[in-house]
Amino acid sequence: MNKYDELYRGKAKSVYFTDDPDLLILHFRNDTSAFDGKKIEQLDRKGMVNNKFNGFIMEKLAAAGIPTHFESLLSDEESVVLKLEMIPVECVVRNIAAGSICKRLGVEEGIDLTPPTFEFFLKDDARGDPMINEYHIESFGWAKPEHVAKMKEITFAVNDVLKALFLTGNMLLVDYKLEFGLHKGQVVLGDEFTPDGCRLWDVDTREKLDKDRFRQGLGDVVESYELVGHRLGLNFD
Ligand code: ADP
Ligand code: UDP
């Protein structure tokens, strides 16, 4: 497959056109960012670990009937994906309170959320990804109501599949962010599912195994991502 011009360079991944107009190449770089791009570092092996981790999770989701953009791994740091018309909205499900919800609502980290809660954020780094609701999405034309309903349905379906999967590795899926796009009019899961975009805690010790290690300067960031993979039976060599 030929790699053509760069379509987009994000904070952690670059996206390239290919010889097939329906397919793109996602390059997972070692760049790691937090706080809307205010903290950025290069972490050795992270691109490779996240690329392989994402491929593994996307295949699990596809096997459970979830429509995803993932086609195949192309190299250590690259995957082939369906080209989507991205919807500029982030879908977040939270099983346990952590991160921004604790600051926003003054709740303690670690509280169980039953039922899990759901939030939309506008993908807009310059404005710090503000929280929005379904009315905003419709009024500003970011997505049609039937697509919003589908995004919610798929995001909750992902929760059922991945909570169970991570539990097999003795991990709690605390929260996660998903992005969607349209392909031939259908809502499809895009972007990535890696420890960069979710929170994972050890069941017994509640040790953080995700990007909070980077945000909070806890160290062993990529080592923890690899440990998460190993606990699920994934090898990175
Ligand atoms: P950010 O844009 O937040 O800095 P990344 O560095 O992860 O994030 O960049 C990847 C970009 O590629 C994101 O803007 C994402 O919306 C976009 N993207 C992900 N999957 C697809 C896809 N299948 N088709 C088109 N764009 C995609
Ligand atoms: N998240 C993400 N990208 C973003 C914002 C959030 O991947 O731009 C993920 C984050 O890693 C966490 C979940 O979405 O797993 C909820 O994030 P939160 O709103 O708590 O924001 P944070 O405090 O992590 O910035």
Side-chain angles (χ1 to χ4, degrees), residues 52-89:
K52 292 183 180 174
F53 190 92
N54 178 63
F56 174 82
I57 295 288
M58 289 281 171
E59 280 179 352
K60 294 280 182 199
L61 295 174
I66 288 163
T68 90
H69 70 157
F70 181 76
E71 292 278 312
S72 56
L73 291 181
L74 181 66
S75 68
D76 272 2
E77 295 188 345
E78 294 168 311
S79 287
V80 180
V81 298
L82 273 183
K83 183 175 193 298
L84 304 183
E85 196 187 311
M86 293 306 287
I87 296 169
V89 167

Side-chain angles (χ1 to χ4, degrees), residues 11 32-41 211 214-215:
K11 296 185 295 297
T32 312
S33 82
F35 313 120
D36 298 315
K38 288 184 202 88
K39 175 173 179 178
I40 300 180
E41 275 174 37
K211 196 155 102 175
F214 176 71
R215 291 189 189 95

Side-chain angles (χ1 to χ4, degrees), residues 14-61:
S14 300
V15 186
Y16 297 89
F17 288 110
T18 68
D19 32 19
D20 183 334
D22 266 342
L23 298 177
L24 297 173
I25 293 172
L26 277 192
H27 176 208
F28 289 73
R29 307 193 313 270
N30 286 341
D31 295 327
T32 312
S33 82
F35 313 120
D36 298 315
K38 288 184 202 88
K39 175 173 179 178
I40 300 180
E41 275 174 37
Q42 292 265 322
L43 298 179
D44 224 28
R45 288 169 63 83
K46 201 204 63 157
M48 179 275 289
V49 168
N50 272 4
N51 182 43
K52 292 183 180 174
F53 190 92
N54 178 63
F56 174 82
I57 295 288
M58 289 281 171
E59 280 179 352
K60 294 280 182 199
L61 295 174

Side-chain angles (χ1 to χ4, degrees), residues 100-107 119:
S100 73
I101 200 173
C102 295
K103 291 194 199 104
R104 210 178 326 116
L105 304 181
V107 297
E119 295 168 344

